[in-house]
Amino acid sequence: MEFVFKLESANVTDGERVDFGPFDHETGTQQSIPVSLTRKVVYPDLEVSALVVCVFTGDKLEIQNITVSQNGKFVSTKVLTQLALPAVIRAIAIEVIPNSHLWAQVNGEQMGKPEGPAFLAQVYWFEHVSWGSPRGSIMNYMNWSRTNANFHISKIARQFGLPGSHAQRPANSSN
């Protein structure tokens, strides 16, 4: 199912930019994102719009507030289920993260593609921040099995630190 929406300016200035993930010396890139942002999302087929306020928590782009309106009508439950918020967050991330095309459109068929651990950490970070599928994207990009991807992701997590389920947790201490 394809979701049809378009992002528009909400006439609210984005917050200060912060870096996230590792710097990749191979590609010379560092990911960054505004700490806060607001976008208007228009759904032409649903005749509805949403004002989405997001914050970057240091781990993920999260929705802080969302206001949905339907041209003076009541907003139905059916409309609410069709807002496609994960796709909206991904589109917002692609818009606000410089060079996002490097991490958003990865596939296993590129010639001379970056394959270093810092780049793969950036792919993981991008997918996590944008509500995507970090492991799945790395599996696809590198043509790895799930087991092989898990092995390499664990190594990358120890080297660079990763968000979400692969974040390094402090060991519990016993007294």
Side-chain angles (χ1 to χ4, degrees), residues 154-173:
S154 292
K155 283 177 57 176
I156 291 167
R158 286 189 299 274
Q159 186 176 359
F160 296 104
L162 295 176
S165 62
H166 284 94
Q168 296 296 317
R169 308 280 188 242
N172 291 338
S173 59

Side-chain angles (χ1 to χ4, degrees), residues 7-18 32-40 51-56 61 91-98:
L7 298 178
E8 295 182 356
S9 169
N11 296 320
V12 176
T13 304
D14 289 348
E16 166 188 348
R17 296 192 79 78
V18 295
S32 70
I33 193 168
V35 292
S36 61
L37 57 95
T38 302
R39 294 294 182 277
K40 181 177 181 183
L51 191 64
V52 181
V53 179
C54 298
V55 295
F56 179 64
L61 188 59
I92 290 171
I94 288 170
E95 177 188 288
V96 301
I97 297 172

